[in-house]
């Protein structure tokens, strides 16, 4: 996933590794962390594979390396972005894709969002099936906390479905925030 995030971050602008990390922290950093120990090897690999270009510039006494996505990299990035939702992938993977959905044509973006919604509804059905087999009274502490994580899952899925509804409709953020934080 990091490779695609990097290619997306430098799709339009030339950035240094430091700048890429700052962009990630300032945008998708609430659900994805990029550390330098993984970032710089990924930049090197992507450059070697022809997905990124790298140019060096002296700034003062420092040599800075600037990266930008090549046409080959852009093609690989857009293929990843346009790919159907992977039911085995984590929520962070889906969020990383959705973060860049502005690069997709509206019809494809809407289709992928509906697919993600269908995946979440299936997950909700699975959680409901599990819930139907669980005791509801006289729970031990072990059972209580185990079942509590199931209800956390319910809350997460419901919240994500609500969020998807808003982004599919492109609800203005002020309306979204006002509804959800009162």
């Amino acid at each position: 996933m990091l490779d695609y995030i990097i290619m997306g971050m430098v799709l339009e602008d030339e950035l240094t590794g430091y700048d890429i990390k700052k962009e990630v922290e300032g945008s998708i950093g609430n659900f994805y962390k990029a550390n330098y120990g993984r970032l710089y090897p990924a930049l090197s690999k992507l450059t070697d594979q022809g997905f990124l270009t790298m140019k060096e510039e002296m700034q003062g006494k420092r040599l800075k390396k600037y990266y930008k996505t090549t046409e080959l990299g852009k093609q690989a990035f857009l293929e990843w972005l346009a790919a159907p939702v992977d039911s085995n992938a984590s929520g962070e993977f889906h969020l990383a894709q959705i973060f860049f959905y502005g690069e997709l044509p509206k019809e494809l973006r809407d289709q992928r969002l509906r697919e993600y919604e269908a995946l979440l509804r299936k997950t909700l059905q699975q959680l409901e099936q599990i819930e139907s087999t669980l005791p509801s009274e006289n729970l031990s502490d072990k059972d209580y906390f185990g079942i509590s994580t199931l209800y956390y899952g319910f809350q997460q899925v419901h919240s994500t479905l609500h969020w998807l509804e808003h982004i599919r409709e492109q609800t203005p953020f002020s309306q979204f925030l006002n509804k959800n934080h009162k």
Side-chain angles (χ1 to χ4, degrees), residues 37-89:
R38 289 181 40 224
L39 179 65
Y40 285 107
L43 287 167
S44 181
K45 178 185 78 168
L46 290 167
T47 303
D48 291 345
Q49 292 173 331
F51 293 131
L52 299 179
T53 59
M54 186 269 296
K55 74 174 186 180
E56 297 178 327
E57 281 185 14
M58 286 299 292
Q59 286 193 349
K61 295 182 180 182
R62 299 192 76 159
L63 180 66
K64 292 198 171 198
K65 296 179 181 181
Y66 289 86
Y67 298 90
K68 181 145 176 52
T69 305
T70 63
E71 281 303 313
L72 180 64
K74 183 175 182 176
Q75 180 181 347
F77 171 77
L78 292 174
E79 285 174 12
W80 166 75
L81 194 58
V85 175
D86 180 357
S87 62
N88 295 316

Side-chain angles (χ1 to χ4, degrees), residues 144-175:
Y144 177 81
F145 286 98
I147 291 170
S148 293
T149 60
L150 173 73
Y151 288 111
Y152 174 81
F154 273 114
Q155 290 293 337
Q156 289 295 104
V157 171
H158 282 292
S159 292
T160 304
L161 285 167
H162 183 69
W163 171 73
L164 280 172
E165 175 186 331
H166 282 276
I167 66 169
R168 275 191 303 103
E169 296 171 359
Q170 293 191 345
T171 303
F173 293 115
S174 59
Q175 289 177 18

Side-chain angles (χ1 to χ4, degrees), residues 12 87 146 182:
E12 304 292 327
S87 62
K182 285 188 176 183

Side-chain angles (χ1 to χ4, degrees), residues 9 20-30 32-34 36:
M9 290 290 174
I20 293 168
K21 185 172 184 321
K22 289 296 177 198
E23 286 288 322
V24 169
E25 288 173 356
S27 57
I28 62 175
N30 63 329
Y32 185 83
K33 304 293 181 212
Y36 291 119

Side-chain angles (χ1 to χ4, degrees), residues 1-11 46 51 69 73 75-81 93 96-97 100:
M1 178 170 45
L2 178 59
D3 292 355
Y4 297 111
I5 291 171
I6 290 170
M7 287 188 284
M9 290 290 174
V10 294
L11 205 57
L46 290 167
F51 293 131
T69 305
Q75 180 181 347
F77 171 77
L78 292 174
E79 285 174 12
W80 166 75
L81 194 58
F93 186 88
Q97 279 184 301
F100 293 107

